[in-house]
Amino acid sequence: MSYTSFSQIRADLSSGKTSVSGLVKEYLSAIDSNRELNAFLEVYPDEAVALAAEVDLKLAAGTAGRLAGMVIGLKDNICFAGHGVGASSKILGGFNSLFSATAVERLVAEDAIIIGRLNCDEFAMGSSNENSAFGPVLNPIDTSRVPGGSSGGSAAAVAARLCHAALGSDTGGSIRQPASFTGTVGLKPTYGRISRHGLIAYGSSFDQIGPITHSVEDAALLLEIMAGPDEFDSTAIQNPPEHYSALEPTTKPVRIAYLAECLESEGLDPEIRDFCNRQIEQLRSLGHTVEPVEFKELKYLVPTYYVLTTAEASSNLSRFDGMRYGYRSAEGKGVEGTIVKSRSEGFGKEVKRRIMLGTFVLSAGYYDAYYSKGQKMRRIIKEKTAGYLSSYDFIYTPTTPGVAFPLGKKSGDPIKMYLEDIFTVQANITGMPAISLPMGTNSEGLPFGIQLMANLNEDAKLLAFSRYLTEQVK
């Protein structure tokens, strides 16, 4: 299937060229033929086929929802009632969710079909999808390379056309980075724009659900449907969402800042740097103002992010103790012994590393030296970023320092892996919306993304300019 937008699917459904049942069967066949990618942990074939038949009847009767015909995969940290959810971790083995995430409920209410749950880095901790308890996901562009993480299964499934769209979660770039590595669109909305209810928490003040799609228009449609107030999430934005799907591409000139330190970074792939410089000149020739700005805090982004998120993870993951649900060690003796054994055996290496880091930075002797300073640095980063976005419409950077790297290349060096997030964590630290757009490929044919970030609650403006950039500038 070569659909690049949901509007194409709806056109074929209207003309009778295809049916929802036919689409679902094609996706199920594609999933079966691409099992080596390890993108899906579980598929719901019987359920999807039955729902597809119901949606076909609704379409015939004119009562179908706005997403009738859209087949969606869910990252394995987003709850779907009556189905397994495990954050790709052994610690949640055999656990079925009792409720659906608010975002999922809203998609299903519009007749989207959930086809399965997708592999990810364990508890969304990773940049390569090599940290899953169920093995790594392979990049469909080049199966010797990683798809990015932590939403690697979501990005790989969309890129390989195993589903039309997928949901991921983005704590520090976990939607945008794999989107860059797989040539897809990855959107992280403003923090709180989509309810976090039903998302297994990693860093609660950073986490955000968002879509991975083939087009900006599909990302806008999914955001419009999932966004909005939610009584189950006190951090959800109370204002109703805008009609993102009705937005036309931007036509008037805009002001864009780019971070000079990003494009001058020694770690940036030269081919990506050259592409960015050419695109900046092209934007200028089209009448847009594109200017460099200084951001000396770039070197503090990753340390600030990891100090604060590991602290939150240490607290959030304390609930997984083997006593009430999920994995319980058979060798545990007594309450404390069972908890220690279950957590030691149930969590993977990277998750244990981050829990220990978070516990350390929160400890009495180091709280002021690390966690307190991290919070102060977060405020400085947010204020400086907001200052630039009061003068400019967008901040432009590469999404990632390079293209998808070979499997195993960085898994032995946590620092190198953490630096994969250097351009993406700013949006999570500040809560601002950001998107990765599939704008270029290198000399080996590997894709890379360009990232745009806008001010808080300017998701509509971000999506409108993103449509312009992908449809008229590319």
Side-chain angles (χ1 to χ4, degrees):
M1 289 175 286
S2 58
Y3 294 113
T4 57
S5 71
F6 184 53
S7 59
Q8 295 171 349
I9 291 177
R10 291 304 295 258
D12 278 3
L13 288 170
S14 297
S15 67
K17 288 183 180 179
T18 189
S19 65
V20 181
S21 295
L23 287 169
V24 166
K25 288 173 183 176
E26 286 189 58
Y27 283 123
L28 289 171
S29 177
I31 291 169
D32 190 58
S33 300
N34 288 274
R35 290 190 179 277
E36 76 281 358
L37 296 178
N38 200 29
F40 278 91
L41 295 178
E42 187 176 5
V43 184
Y44 315 133
D46 295 340
E47 182 179 331
V49 168
L51 284 172
E54 292 179 16
V55 176
D56 278 327
L57 291 174
K58 287 184 179 181
L59 283 168
T63 60
R66 297 174 65 195
L67 295 181
M70 185 177 286
V71 178
I72 297 176
L74 299 180
K75 185 177 180 180
D76 188 34
N77 62 349
I78 300 173
C79 294
F80 186 24
H83 299 77
V85 62
S88 294
S89 177
K90 184 179 177 182
I91 199 79
L92 275 169
F95 179 73
N96 285 336
S97 181
L98 301 176
F99 63 94
S100 289
T102 298
V104 175
E105 286 185 341
R106 291 173 179 174
L107 295 178
V108 171
E110 293 291 345
D111 287 327
I113 292 175
I114 308 300
I115 200 167
R117 59 186 176 113
L118 294 155
N119 203 346
C120 62
D121 281 303
E122 186 180 3
F123 281 96
M125 298 180 187
S127 301
S128 64
N129 219 137
E130 294 173 288
N131 293 331
S132 169
F134 305 100
V137 175
L138 308 184
N139 191 325
I141 310 295
D142 179 347
T143 55
S144 70
R145 296 176 182 268
V146 303
S150 61
S151 308
S154 299
V158 174
R161 302 183 186 279
L162 310 184
C163 54
H164 183 71
L167 294 194
S169 66
D170 194 310
T171 306
S174 286
I175 288 173
R176 290 160 290 149
Q177 191 245 22
S180 178
F181 282 4
T182 58
T184 53
V185 173
L187 172 65
K188 185 206 85 72
T190 295
Y191 177 79
R193 185 67 282 181
I194 296 174
S195 169
R196 290 182 298 110
H197 176 66
L199 172 67
I200 296 176
Y202 161 21
S204 300
S205 70
F206 294 78
D207 298 339
Q208 184 60 66
I209 291 173
I212 295 176
T213 61
H214 292 291
S215 67
V216 175
E217 66 177 89
D218 285 357
L221 174 62
L222 289 169
L223 175 60
E224 181 177 319
I225 288 169
M226 291 187 288
D230 181 19
E231 62 178 322
F232 298 111
D233 180 4
S234 62
T235 64
I237 295 170
Q238 294 304 302
N239 298 331
E242 297 181 54
H243 295 295
Y244 306 114
S245 62
L247 295 171
E248 294 297 322
T250 299
T251 55
K252 64 179 182 179
V254 300
R255 291 177 54 80
I256 303 170
Y258 68 89
L259 305 186
E261 287 82 0
C262 288
L263 292 191
E264 295 167 6
S265 171
E266 291 182 3
L268 181 61
D269 185 310
E271 289 190 69
I272 296 178
R273 180 187 292 110
D274 290 345
F275 178 89
C276 289
N277 287 329
R278 290 196 305 272
Q279 189 167 71
I280 286 169
E281 289 304 317
Q282 184 183 8
L283 287 166
R284 286 171 175 159
S285 71
L286 292 169
H288 304 288
T289 300
V290 189
E291 297 174 340
V293 295
E294 186 180 72
F295 198 81
K296 291 184 177 179
E297 291 79 8
L298 181 68
K299 62 184 177 182
Y300 298 117
L301 290 175
V302 171
T304 299
Y305 169 79
Y306 278 98
V307 164
L308 298 180
T309 57
T310 57
E312 294 186 13
S314 172
S315 175
N316 279 327
L317 271 62
S318 64
R319 71 194 70 178
F320 304 108
D321 54 15
M323 300 302 291
R324 291 159 290 181
Y325 50 81
Y327 175 78
R328 178 182 293 180
S329 173
E331 299 179 10
K333 296 180 180 179
V335 174
E336 184 176 344
T338 299
I339 291 172
V340 170
K341 273 287 186 181
S342 298
R343 286 170 66 83
S344 297
E345 296 172 8
F347 287 131
K349 183 177 179 180
E350 181 60 30
V351 173
K352 286 189 278 193
R353 178 186 289 122
R354 297 196 195 193
I355 290 173
M356 291 172 70
L357 281 169
T359 304
F360 174 76
V361 303
L362 287 173
S363 61
Y366 297 96
Y367 184 95
D368 288 336
Y370 293 101
Y371 185 75
S372 181
K373 282 186 178 177
Q375 291 285 29
K376 291 173 182 176
M377 195 66 223
R378 186 179 196 178
R379 178 181 56 80
I380 291 169
I381 292 167
K382 186 170 183 176
E383 288 178 354
K384 186 159 186 178
T385 305
Y388 284 135
L389 287 170
S390 67
S391 302
Y392 295 92
D393 295 294
F394 309 104
I395 293 176
Y396 172 106
T397 65
T399 306
T400 54
V403 295
F405 48 88
L407 289 156
K409 183 177 181 180
K410 300 186 180 183
S411 55
D413 189 335
I415 302 301
K416 285 184 178 178
M417 191 70 81
Y418 294 169
L419 287 172
E420 284 294 313
D421 300 330
I422 191 167
F423 301 147
T424 53
V425 294
Q426 184 178 4
N428 301 86
I429 290 171
T430 62
M432 293 169 181
I435 191 168
S436 178
L437 303 172
M439 299 301 294
T441 54
N442 73 355
S443 55
E444 297 179 271
L446 297 171
F448 57 84
I450 295 302
Q451 178 178 255
L452 290 175
M453 182 165 56
N455 214 338
L456 291 171
N457 300 311
E458 292 187 346
D459 305 69
K461 186 166 78 170
L462 177 67
L463 288 163
F465 187 72
S466 296
R467 283 197 66 180
Y468 165 79
L469 200 61
T470 55
E471 295 174 11
Q472 299 181 36
V473 177
K474 189 174 179 179

